[in-house]
Amino acid sequence: MTSDRTASRLNRILAMLPYVIAHRGVTVDEVCERFGYNRSDLAADLDLVFVCGLPGYGPGDLIVAYIDGEEVVVDTAEYFADAPRLTPAEAMSLLASGMAVLASGQSSEPLERAVDKLAKVLLPEGNVIDVDLEAEPEMVAKLRMAAARRHAVEIVYTSIGREVTTTRVVEPWKVVSALGNWYLTGFCRSADAGRVFRVDRIRRLLETEEEFTLPSPIPDPEIRYVPAEDDIRCVIEVGSGARWVADYYPVEVLEDDGSLMRFEFSAPDPGVAANLLLRLGSAGRLVSGIEVGEALTSLRGRLLGVYRPTHVETKND
């Protein structure tokens, strides 16, 4: 059962985030005054928000939230741009799950009201289900056809991390729907490896006449952040108290003796790793990665510039 303290904290976070997002450049003092924070509690809540996002938990899937000098900064992942809407299948699954809990006798009054409202929307005639499915995007049909013909496709694709647009030749395996988006899985010849592409980020598609052989078996799609060739890479070492990093970020564990873990961290920008290292403090250490080290030094310098006391030179007459 959720404690009153936890519920109060969650309510304050949910009220604070939309305000900060809508008022870029808002100061720490203004947020503290408006929402009843002190600086340390605000920083703690922003740290909590920082590790929230969609499974995969790559840099492009999380919410970036921190205090920069006297400014509160919250940058949301791309999927926050539009209001979330359940697909018909997701809504029916949610309704079925809610009804299962009701049948178990372990439900609460708020859940009963929610299930009743959802049932009235999805089942307006009682036993009749009327679902209006949206048509698949045209790009999905073209990719599915190319995959069926075993034809390689040339795509112009904009990466999620750096918003860099490149032209690639891909051998399409499957087109799947997950997390509210359509994805293409296939062998990318530029990366010389299997890759996952968000269909809505494919700017142009050309089906070639070049045939390819499907791998056997076809790898299961892994919808998560996949490091790009031009990503920044560094090696970080953490103690036992910071092993959670390996669960929240797409890392490659290099060494792990139970007390110390060393892993390779990939991100589209060195600032992502620098922010992580700053938050880890003494629990994390940068082993290698020149660009990340420079970004971390710069970040520390800016913070010291904010908190270092100003000395006023005085003269005695």
Side-chain angles (χ1 to χ4, degrees):
M1 182 178 293
T2 303
S3 68
D4 291 342
R5 181 179 178 182
T6 300
S8 176
R9 182 184 185 188
L10 177 60
N11 287 335
R12 184 160 64 168
I13 290 174
L14 293 177
M16 175 267 295
L17 285 178
Y19 180 82
V20 175
I21 293 171
H23 298 80
R24 291 192 176 276
V26 66
T27 65
V28 173
D29 288 343
E30 184 178 348
V31 173
C32 288
E33 180 179 356
R34 178 175 289 270
F35 297 98
Y37 275 110
N38 58 47
R39 191 183 186 100
S40 61
D41 286 345
L42 175 60
D45 279 359
L46 292 174
D47 284 343
L48 178 63
V49 170
F50 181 74
V51 293
C52 295
L54 289 179
Y57 305 113
D61 301 311
L62 298 173
I63 303 173
V64 177
Y66 60 96
I67 295 175
D68 184 8
E70 291 304 313
E71 179 184 347
V72 181
V73 179
V74 175
D75 288 328
T76 57
E78 186 176 279
Y79 53 82
F80 283 100
D82 299 317
R85 297 186 183 278
L86 296 176
T87 65
E90 290 170 339
M92 290 302 298
S93 176
L94 183 62
L95 177 60
S97 299
M99 294 177 71
V101 176
L102 292 182
S104 71
Q106 303 297 315
S107 65
S108 62
E109 185 178 342
L111 177 61
E112 292 175 3
R113 292 198 302 268
V115 170
D116 181 61
K117 291 179 181 178
L118 188 57
K120 288 179 179 177
V121 173
L122 296 178
L123 308 175
E125 302 298 329
N127 294 323
V128 178
I129 300 177
D130 183 10
V131 179
D132 182 16
L133 295 175
E134 294 184 3
E136 291 180 354
E138 182 181 355
M139 189 76 72
V140 169
K142 291 181 177 179
L143 288 168
R144 190 173 279 137
M145 184 64 70
R149 293 170 177 164
R150 307 290 188 267
H151 284 177
V153 294
E154 182 180 279
I155 63 173
V156 177
Y157 186 76
T158 302
S159 65
I160 295 177
R162 286 189 169 184
E163 293 292 326
V164 174
T165 300
T166 56
T167 300
R168 302 164 177 260
V169 175
V170 178
E171 298 174 2
W173 297 337
K174 291 182 180 179
V175 183
V176 298
S177 177
L179 305 176
N181 294 298
W182 287 97
Y183 294 87
L184 166 68
T185 68
F187 181 81
C188 176
R189 294 180 182 175
S190 297
D192 195 27
R195 286 290 186 264
V196 178
F197 302 93
R198 269 230 334 231
V199 172
D200 63 349
R201 301 187 75 83
I202 298 177
R203 308 309 181 199
R204 191 164 63 249
L205 167 68
L206 174 64
E207 179 181 346
T208 72
E209 295 297 323
E210 185 179 352
E211 296 186 2
F212 66 91
T213 302
L214 276 175
S216 182
I218 298 176
D220 291 330
E222 191 174 353
I223 310 302
R224 65 190 300 274
Y225 174 74
V226 179
E229 293 180 7
D230 56 352
D231 271 6
I232 299 300
R233 288 172 170 78
C234 65
V235 175
I236 296 175
E237 186 178 82
V238 298
S240 57
R243 298 174 65 88
W244 58 266
V245 175
D247 296 324
Y248 281 102
Y249 291 93
V251 303
E252 180 182 349
V253 178
L254 304 176
E255 299 177 26
D256 185 6
D257 62 7
S259 59
L260 288 177
M261 177 188 291
R262 183 173 290 191
F263 52 78
E264 184 181 73
F265 184 95
S266 303
D269 187 278
V272 176
N275 272 287
L276 172 63
L277 285 163
L278 191 66
R279 291 172 185 276
L280 289 175
S282 60
R285 181 175 72 90
L286 179 65
V287 178
S288 65
I290 296 176
E291 292 175 286
V292 173
E294 293 174 347
L296 181 60
T297 299
S298 175
L299 184 57
R300 285 172 173 166
R302 295 201 307 271
L303 290 176
L304 286 175
V306 172
Y307 292 104
R308 184 183 291 116
T310 302
H311 298 282
V312 179
E313 184 176 343
T314 59
K315 293 183 179 180
N316 294 325
D317 293 332

